[in-house]
Amino acid sequence: MIQARWIIPVEPTSVTYENHALVIDQGKIIDLLAITEAEQKYQAQELKILNQHALIPGLINSHTHACMSLMRGIADDLPLMDWLQNHIWPLEKKWVGEAFVRDGADLAIAEMIRGGTTCFNDMYFFPEITAQQAIQHGIRAGIGLILIDFPSAWAINSDDYIDKGLALHKQLKDQALITTPFAPHAPYTVSDEPLNKIAKLSQQHKLSIQMHVHEIKHEVEEQIKKTNQTPIQRLHQLGLLSPAFMAVHMTQLNDQDIQIVADTGTHIIHCPESNLKLASGFCPVAKCLDAGINVALGTDGAASNNDLDMLGEMRTAALLAKGIANDASAVPAQTALKMATLNGAKAMGIDAITGSLSIGKSADVVAINLDQLETQPLYDPVSQIVYASNRQQVTDVWVVGKALLSSGKLTRIDQTELMSRVQSWQQRLKN
Ligand SMILES: [Zn+2]
């Protein structure tokens, strides 16, 4: 039993319970009720009292490249194509392998858990290693089955990527914490033929698809020059768009694009800080929400953000949406919190399992201590969480009822040992 000063279930929307308890059995939420009633009704085997804290559903980072955390800060203040072609891709060519992915994923997972993230949706080479680390550390993850037109240390051509991806899907099928969406990199790096295959295979194997789409102006302009369509229009024609498709970024959208996304039930994964840092453009979030589109949030990789901080991402999303819509009521705090939790679960197809503190769902829970100078006085806990709190206030994190962070300490990761592995990569990459 977790007793808390506030419980914000996210579903139903705009509800905050005061002095309530969350009752957990076998990893699932079995009750949510007033503390006084809970004490009469249940005999808790384990009791956690958090009387200065708010409980929220675990944050869902709907798009990241976990192991790129090892390249945090290595090439900043550059536009996307320069950043990718002259810095990130050459570094990846030289260094990416199993050890890089393992250590980078460990760093990212540790950072995410400390910031209240209980689930991440990944896209990177050697996905089997990221999956293995996620399982080991007990965090939920979507492990993207990456596909790109050029060879890498992981696969030689598109058929090889698809074959390895499907083999990994089969291998991970029974892992309760893992899903395996296809992850074709972007419209400008994956040609029609492999995309046609993905469209068929995703239906056949009931797998989602996540893809960078409309990240920058250049990508959209080039596609229009080639086919007289925007990238989203091309993907629609290829039969890719559906409620199983997660379109990441989605800047430079025209009204027709928004209509297509809404009509097909496609999800948008908004990564505001990465878009700002790379000056990629803006996703018109308020317009998309008004059109009925499910918009979730991601940090993108730590090489373009540069943190994996979903509390920060919520704040940026809420602020940026207001600026773009020229409307202070766009993306209120409650909506930002929903985008970072339930909407992410919906996008990943796991909203029956997680995304809100609802009876029957997995106990993926985060406690935030609001009794700090930074979040006082306190009139509305949701406002404080979205607009004023920081990651240091996250004290406890559970996934399937298991504590991954307890009173601010990682329970399964040796921080000192991890730091030394990370610093050794720093030496290698710097040279
Ligand atoms: Zn990305």
Side-chain angles (χ1 to χ4, degrees):
M1 184 188 297
I2 312 170
Q3 299 182 353
R5 178 76 175 82
W6 299 276
I7 297 182
I8 302 154
V10 172
E11 203 176 26
T13 324
S14 306
V15 171
T16 298
Y17 299 108
E18 282 196 57
N19 299 312
H20 269 55
L22 207 58
V23 187
I24 298 163
D25 187 36
Q26 318 229 11
K28 280 193 177 165
I29 298 167
I30 60 160
D31 215 340
L32 170 52
L33 69 176
I35 290 173
T36 44
E37 287 173 52
E39 283 175 340
Q40 285 169 5
K41 194 168 165 190
Y42 297 99
Q43 199 84 50
Q45 288 176 334
E46 240 183 287
L47 174 66
K48 183 99 181 173
I49 297 172
L50 297 168
N51 48 22
Q52 299 160 341
H53 301 62
L55 297 186
I56 61 168
L59 298 168
I60 297 183
N61 186 349
S62 297
H63 176 70
T64 190
H65 311 275
C67 76
M68 289 182 85
S69 57
L70 289 177
M71 292 187 274
R72 188 199 322 266
I74 206 164
D76 289 331
D77 311 320
L78 299 165
L80 178 76
M81 284 306 162
D82 183 5
W83 178 76
L84 271 179
Q85 288 167 353
N86 301 319
H87 299 271
I88 299 301
W89 286 344
L91 275 168
E92 287 183 328
K93 204 169 170 196
K94 179 145 196 231
W95 292 108
V96 170
E98 293 189 0
F100 180 95
V101 174
R102 182 197 63 218
D103 293 340
D106 282 355
L107 174 61
I109 289 168
E111 179 184 355
M112 286 192 278
I113 293 170
R114 274 159 56 101
T117 294
T118 56
C119 177
F120 67 101
N121 199 20
D122 203 64
M123 178 196 282
Y124 209 71
F125 307 106
F126 298 92
E128 69 278 17
I129 305 292
T130 308
Q132 171 194 301
Q133 298 315 100
I135 293 164
Q136 185 186 325
H137 300 312
I139 191 169
R140 211 177 269 291
I143 297 297
L145 309 175
I146 193 165
L147 167 64
I148 193 161
D149 273 352
F150 51 78
S152 68
W154 193 64
I156 52 169
N157 58 33
S158 58
D159 282 339
D160 194 24
Y161 280 103
I162 291 174
D163 290 347
K164 284 187 169 134
L166 282 175
L168 183 60
H169 157 65
K170 279 188 193 127
Q171 193 188 315
L172 295 171
K173 228 170 40 195
D174 299 322
Q175 289 289 345
L177 293 179
I178 305 290
T179 57
T180 47
F182 280 113
H185 175 261
Y188 61 94
T189 53
V190 187
S191 40
D192 285 1
E193 199 195 316
L195 285 178
N196 275 322
K197 282 187 192 159
I198 295 281
K200 286 194 196 94
L201 288 168
S202 76
Q203 284 182 1
Q204 193 184 326
H205 295 276
K206 296 195 169 49
L207 294 179
S208 303
I209 303 169
Q210 60 157 321
M211 186 177 195
H212 298 116
V213 187
H214 282 232
E215 184 166 2
I216 55 166
K217 207 169 159 199
H218 180 74
E219 169 199 342
V220 178
E221 285 170 353
E222 286 299 298
Q223 186 71 59
I224 292 172
K225 254 193 239 164
K226 261 199 232 160
T227 62
N228 207 23
Q229 294 165 304
T230 63
I232 204 74
Q233 288 162 14
R234 171 179 160 228
L235 298 179
H236 185 37
Q237 197 181 39
L238 288 168
L240 278 161
L241 302 186
S242 80
F245 193 90
M246 294 171 268
V248 181
H249 295 307
M250 297 293 271
T251 72
Q252 356 274 333
L253 297 176
N254 64 35
D255 288 345
Q256 197 192 340
D257 296 330
I258 293 175
Q259 200 54 53
I260 290 172
V261 173
D263 289 346
T264 54
T266 297
H267 308 274
I268 291 179
I269 313 297
H270 177 41
C271 303
E273 292 188 2
S274 174
N275 294 160
L276 284 166
K277 184 158 183 280
L278 297 166
S280 301
F282 304 106
C283 174
V285 171
K287 251 187 169 180
C288 292
L289 290 170
D290 285 346
I293 298 166
N294 180 51
V295 182
L297 283 184
T299 59
D300 213 352
S304 68
N305 184 302
N306 291 359
D307 58 36
L308 306 177
D309 176 0
M310 284 296 293
L311 288 175
E313 210 68 34
M314 270 198 280
R315 184 174 316 154
T316 305
L319 298 181
L320 187 62
K322 298 172 204 310
I324 293 166
N326 195 24
D327 174 6
S329 70
V331 184
Q334 291 277 0
T335 304
L337 181 60
K338 196 171 164 209
M339 285 164 68
T341 53
L342 188 58
N343 291 9
K346 272 187 195 154
M348 292 177 69
I350 52 173
D351 52 314
I353 299 168
T354 188
S356 63
L357 301 180
S358 307
I359 292 167
K361 285 199 188 183
S362 175
D364 299 355
V365 188
V366 170
I368 304 173
N369 181 1
L370 295 175
D371 191 34
Q372 304 277 319
L373 277 177
E374 290 80 358
T375 42
Q376 291 290 324
L378 194 145
Y379 307 106
D380 172 3
V382 178
S383 167
Q384 299 300 42
I385 289 167
V386 173
Y387 293 122
S389 72
N390 64 69
R391 287 186 285 181
Q392 282 70 45
Q393 292 173 257
V394 172
T395 60
D396 295 82
V397 174
W398 295 264
V399 175
V400 200
K402 293 197 178 84
L404 305 187
L405 188 77
S406 184
S407 305
K409 294 221 161 40
L410 290 165
T411 60
R412 296 191 179 193
I413 298 173
D414 179 343
Q415 219 169 300
T416 316
E417 184 271 339
L418 172 59
M419 285 282 268
S420 85
R421 274 190 281 147
V422 170
Q423 279 159 8
S424 117
W425 280 108
Q426 177 190 320
Q427 292 307 322
R428 273 174 273 176
L429 265 70
K430 208 165 66 178
N431 296 334

